[in-house]
Amino acid sequence: MPSSTVENYLKRIYLEEQAAPGAAVVSMKNLAGVMGVTPGTATSMAKSLADSRFVAYEPYGGVKLTARGRTLALRILRRHRLIECFLVDALGLDWSEVHEEAESLEHAISDKLLDRIDEFLGFPSVDPHGDPIPNAKGAIRQAALTPLTEAEEGAEVRVARILDQDEDFLRFVDRHHLRPGTRARVLVNDRAAEALTIQTGKLPAVTMGRTAAAKIMVEGPRP
Amino acid sequence: MPSSTVENYLKRIYLEEQAAPGAAVVSMKNLAGVMGVTPGTATSMAKSLADSRFVAYEPYGGVKLTARGRTLALRILRRHRLIECFLVDALGLDWSEVHEEAESLEHAISDKLLDRIDEFLGFPSVDPHGDPIPNAKGAIRQAALTPLTEAEEGAEVRVARILDQDEDFLRFVDRHHLRPGTRARVLVNDRAAEALTIQTGKLPAVTMGRTAAAKIMVEGPRP
DNA sequence: ATACTCTTTTTGACTAATCAAAAACCACCT
DNA sequence: AGGTGGTTTTTGATTAGTCAAAAAGAGTAT
């Protein structure tokens, strides 16, 4: 039974691999950064993950999940995201605050309880942030989405996923009614100014910078 | 922030103190036994709990919770029991299987979420086994109960609490409809034979031994 | 009080996870 | 080739929690 530390490393490695689909491996510096540990710790953990065959690791070559490691990472991610759904749907917690809570519960919940929750929720396919939930077999299916920065001016889009779990950012998104599921119109997308203006229904339009817009994934004008 | 290991020790010490109200302290042998560790480990943990002022400890003198230690123990117990309620009431898990699950979730849940659950459940005062739930301030209130072994023959009793969390025993109780809340009549209480026969409604009567009956707490014929 | 038994403590060792700081290595740029 | 800057690895230490086995202490029976 892998410790929750190991589970966290694998989850982060998976997320880093997803975040930078170009890079084949995750560097020690990167890993140490996202895990909040020193590079030396990342190295020794990389070795021990490799010993357990969760990652491929070559000295100076970074880490890369093996099939076995990815399976476990997806299992944790599934737990995390189902728990988020549950906290929001069943207990009415705010979607901006469930991430932290799920972060600890994901290591403590049994498979049995998780399945019960999955059933209770009606087998959801995405969590409250729009992140896809791996199924019990570890398969993950996500519709092709584009960052808001790519949207044409005048386009009608549907917010599908928010890529940042930071509470402040989520509250900003919430305040302007840009939660996943919302339809909105892109009024301005000024690439030179790196600013974008978007409007939901009859609400006042919001203008945000490029980096903020890049964290909001949308479905195009029509598929 | 105490580790979950420390939380578990304090919880067990509290429960042992309750289980043997006569003994003023919990011995190392006892503690090692219930925690499933060697006596040496119990000793070194006792010292470290004493350093943190959770228990009073004198060499060869056993441990005894301080006010501080009891407060923390009751906090864990509150978590444990509210979680059990929640799993049964909100997710329909069987009361015989929630103990183990709560055992790990109790260390992972935040105070905020726990309060939300408490509210969701309508501030229950006992868990599915009839164990009293400490309130947010750590106060615990339990009606005076008597073990079934003390019941008079012919008495009508109300099952109030089951003192054993073992899955098999709980399933036995369940099978014979002796869950907390049930009214039943004591048909035979033969102290010499150490056997007791009890009947719920029109169901077939059940006969059990003294030790089993001692784990079932009831409210008297009338208060 | 003496011996015997049971409990408790001590000692030494081990694993997992971490840090700080030194050393080694890699890649790139003249 | 040689140096330089940044990354990675190594080394040595630390903390929490554990065990096995030896040593010490307490209590009881004769």
Side-chain angles (χ1 to χ4, degrees), chain A residues 108-185:
Chain A
I109 198 170
S110 73
D111 284 341
K112 192 171 191 174
L113 176 52
L114 199 78
D115 288 347
R116 196 61 70 102
I117 285 176
D118 194 18
E119 191 186 332
F120 174 91
L121 294 169
F123 310 103
S125 62
V126 294
D127 78 4
H129 313 101
D131 298 327
I133 300 175
N135 69 18
K137 287 179 183 139
I140 193 165
R141 207 165 38 78
Q142 166 86 84
L145 302 175
T146 52
L148 186 50
T149 46
E150 304 287 303
E152 301 297 328
E153 279 191 0
E156 164 103 3
V157 297
R158 186 177 151 278
V159 177
R161 183 175 182 186
I162 309 297
L163 295 180
D164 188 335
Q165 311 284 300
D166 179 76
E167 277 201 47
D168 287 334
F169 186 69
L170 292 176
R171 272 199 293 267
F172 158 80
V173 169
D174 213 41
R175 205 157 48 239
H176 298 293
H177 299 80
L178 292 171
R179 235 178 294 187
T182 311
R183 297 191 167 280
R185 180 171 302 277

Side-chain angles (χ1 to χ4, degrees), chain B residues 29 43 47 57 59-60:
Chain B
K29 192 194 180 197
T43 298
K47 284 182 189 171
Y57 165 74
Y60 299 96

Side-chain angles (χ1 to χ4, degrees), chain A residues 2 13 51 55 74 80 97 106 110 123 175 179 181 183 199 207 217:
Chain A
I13 293 169
D51 286 348
V55 301
L74 285 166
H80 182 96
E97 61 186 5
E106 68 190 8
S110 73
F123 310 103
R175 205 157 48 239
R179 235 178 294 187
R183 297 191 167 280
Q199 185 175 34
T207 299
M217 303 295 285

